Structures are given as C-alpha cells and as structure tokens.
Amino acid sequence: MEFYSGYLFKGLSKPQLDVVARIAKECSVEIGNEIFKEGEEAEKLFILRKGAVELATTVEKGFELPIALLRTPGDIFGSSALVPPFKYNLSAYSTEGCILLTIGQTDLLGLMNEDHALERTVLMNLAAHFLDRLKETRDELKIHFKILLKSTRS
Amino acid sequence: MEFYSGYLFKGLSKPQLDVVARIAKECSVEIGNEIFKEGEEAEKLFILRKGAVELATTVEKGFELPIALLRTPGDIFGSSALVPPFKYNLSAYSTEGCILLTIGQTDLLGLMNEDHALERTVLMNLAAHFLDRLKETRDELKIHFKILLKSTRS
C-alpha cells in the first residue's frame, strides 16, 4: 500500500485503501511523453509509482512555466478529475520512464458514493490541497510584488 | 433565501438551504473594521448581506495586496473555516457598514455530518472554489512572467 500515501488518501483506513487499490490500474510511460494537457477533459487521477513527472502551465506559445516536479512514489496528480469542470488545469510530462497507477473518475466517484466516510476524507483532503497550492501561488505572487516595490523605491 | 446564493450552497435543495439558514446568525459591522486577520483561527464562515468587504493579504509590513472586493449580497468569505488547518488565509475589512450572516464551523460541520448529500455538495463546491482561485492566481503570476519576458527581450 506504499503507493497510497499521497495527500488525497490521508486519514483513510487500511480496508478503505484496499478498496481504492482495487480500482487502480497500472501503466508505464516512456521518458519525454505528454501524459495529459492543460484544458483537456480530466477522466483519470494519477499516482506516481516510479519515475518523475513535471507539471507545467502554458504562459504563452512556446513558453511553459514548470509548477512542480514529482518524484516521490505515491505523489498524486490530475486530481482536478474529481472537481467540476473536470478539466486538467496543468500539463503533465514524464521526465523519466514512469510506472503510474491510474484511477478512473467514475470508479472513484462511485466508491465515494458507497462510503460516505471515505467521501468526506477524500473531498476534505482535496479542498485542503487546493487551498495549500493557492497559498503557495499567492506567496510567489508576493515575491514579484516585493521585487516591483524594491525597483520603484531604488 | 436570497442570501444563500453563494458558491458554497450551489446545488442545495430548498429544504437543505432552510436548515443552513437556521444555524446562521446576523451581525452588523461598522465601516473600516477588521472582520478577521490572515493566520487567525477560523471558526466562522461569513455571508455578506449588505455592504462591502475587502479581502487582502500582507505582502510585507505596511503593504497589503487587495485580493477581492465583495459587494454582492450572498457573497461568501472565510470559507477556510471548513478546511484543515482551519485558519483564515486572508484578512477581511468592511469598506462600508455591513450586515453579515455568520455560520459557526462546528454547526456547519455538524449539519454536514447529518446530511451526506449536503456534505458532498458543500465540499465539492469548496474544492471547486479553491481550484478556481488557484487558476486565477496562476493567471496573475503568468502576467508577471510575460512582463519579465518582454523586458528581457527588449
């Protein structure tokens, strides 16, 4: 169960994790592949089992801003598959050969419908995760404002 | 029920909204008051009934960055009261005299525990809201990068 250690599954019991593991499928991706693209319909959630994945967002044609490099087994990406409007909000690339676990949106939402405690835990974790990323992104924005302030003053 | 039109309650039925309205309390705040401060324990969620509220984050001592100005009755703020670590992630100020509805964290989490459909709807709305704000903030960050790119090229 070492691959179910990511933020989304925090607080789930061993039997709940077993049920989640049963709906996961394994796949491998060669180095340098696009796993999904920003804006695409998000139908699957991904768990990194082996390798490394870069998440990035397009700033303008030909320039992508890297947002995160995932390399810890258990790292989760593509979680916007669980939230309306169900579209990936970043692009994902394999920067090494990867083994991934995928969980279908319909399968996970189905599980959540059957087990309300699991549903609450997963949705709370998801909201907390997006709030964390929001705070992080605001902090980055603040750095830019500080640089602007400094240059205005000098 | 016109004050329960905010993002958090989207998709709730009339009877569910009635139950939410029953745990809300009204209070008034004079112009120019701090309603809560970034980093404080978040024990209440707020709904704007009348007036205007500015949300802001501290960039450095003496400089706050305005994030949003709420002036539509039904606008919701302080929703980080529902998510770990239960701390306000922005400061809120009344920029006009305000009438607010407050909903205690324990009361709302209690309701959610009793009605799983309500719980699912509220948590999904919350996650979708934070994801929206995250995308918005990333878009602002992109503008800064575009300005940087332009100045490097010229």
Side-chain angles (χ1 to χ4, degrees):
Chain A
M1 299 310 292
E2 56 181 304
F3 308 120
Y4 299 91
S5 55
Y7 69 85
L8 202 61
F9 306 123
K10 222 173 99 181
L12 292 186
S13 66
K14 174 82 176 60
Q16 285 174 323
L17 290 176
D18 285 339
V19 175
V20 172
R22 246 174 270 146
I23 58 168
K25 294 186 183 101
E26 201 178 279
C27 69
S28 58
V29 180
E30 283 178 32
I31 185 171
N33 271 36
E34 181 185 275
I35 301 165
F36 55 73
K37 205 174 175 58
E38 191 174 349
E40 262 177 19
E41 293 289 321
E43 290 169 351
K44 282 186 274 186
L45 173 84
F46 293 82
I47 303 170
L48 184 68
R49 203 178 148 155
K50 204 181 152 190
V53 168
E54 185 183 75
L55 303 177
T57 183
T58 302
V59 174
E60 55 180 38
K61 208 170 172 272
F63 175 48
E64 284 208 316
L65 181 65
I67 297 289
L69 182 65
L70 311 179
R71 42 169 62 264
T72 307
D75 276 350
I76 287 170
F77 58 106
S79 53
S80 47
L82 297 179
V83 191
F86 307 107
K87 287 189 194 303
Y88 293 119
N89 67 99
L90 298 170
S91 299
Y93 305 97
S94 53
T95 56
E96 288 177 17
C98 287
I99 299 176
L100 303 175
L101 295 166
T102 68
I103 299 183
Q105 177 197 70
T106 334
D107 293 337
L108 188 51
L109 292 177
L111 270 195
M112 287 159 66
N113 199 28
E114 283 165 23
D115 179 344
H116 292 302
L118 180 144
E119 178 172 65
R120 172 190 303 147
T121 306
V122 166
L123 288 180
M124 275 272 187
N125 287 340
L126 192 63
H129 171 74
F130 288 139
L131 181 57
D132 266 355
R133 294 292 84 76
L134 174 59
K135 283 190 259 181
E136 230 178 60
T137 311
R138 276 197 190 128
D139 284 343
E140 270 188 72
L141 203 56
K142 287 180 192 180
I143 294 172
H144 285 267
F145 275 102
K146 279 184 193 169
I147 295 171
L148 274 179
L149 271 180
K150 238 188 207 162
S151 68
T152 324
R153 282 172 190 157
S154 61
Chain B
M1 300 309 294
E2 55 181 305
F3 309 119
Y4 298 91
S5 55
Y7 69 84
L8 202 60
F9 306 122
K10 223 174 98 181
L12 292 186
S13 67
K14 174 81 177 59
Q16 285 174 323
L17 288 176
D18 285 339
V19 176
V20 172
R22 246 174 272 150
I23 58 167
K25 294 186 183 100
E26 202 178 279
C27 69
S28 58
V29 181
E30 282 177 33
I31 185 171
N33 271 34
E34 180 185 277
I35 302 166
F36 54 74
K37 206 174 173 57
E38 189 174 351
E40 263 178 18
E41 293 287 322
E43 288 168 352
K44 283 187 273 186
L45 174 83
F46 294 81
I47 303 171
L48 184 68
R49 203 178 147 154
K50 202 180 153 190
V53 169
E54 185 183 76
L55 303 178
T57 182
T58 303
V59 173
E60 57 181 36
K61 209 171 171 274
F63 175 47
E64 283 208 317
L65 182 65
I67 297 289
L69 182 65
L70 310 180
R71 43 169 61 263
T72 307
D75 276 348
I76 288 170
F77 58 107
S79 54
S80 47
L82 296 179
V83 192
F86 307 107
K87 286 186 193 305
Y88 293 120
N89 67 100
L90 297 171
S91 299
Y93 305 96
S94 54
T95 56
E96 288 177 17
C98 287
I99 300 176
L100 303 175
L101 295 166
T102 67
I103 299 184
Q105 176 197 69
T106 333
D107 293 337
L108 188 51
L109 293 177
L111 272 195
M112 287 160 67
N113 199 27
E114 282 165 22
D115 179 344
H116 292 302
L118 180 144
E119 177 171 66
R120 172 190 303 146
T121 305
V122 167
L123 288 179
M124 275 274 188
N125 287 341
L126 192 64
H129 171 74
F130 288 139
L131 181 56
D132 266 357
R133 295 291 83 78
L134 174 59
K135 282 190 261 182
E136 229 177 62
T137 311
R138 275 196 191 129
D139 284 343
E140 269 189 73
L141 203 56
K142 286 181 193 181
I143 294 173
H144 285 267
F145 274 102
K146 278 184 194 169
I147 296 171
L148 275 179
L149 269 180
K150 238 187 208 166
S151 69
T152 324
R153 280 174 191 154
S154 60

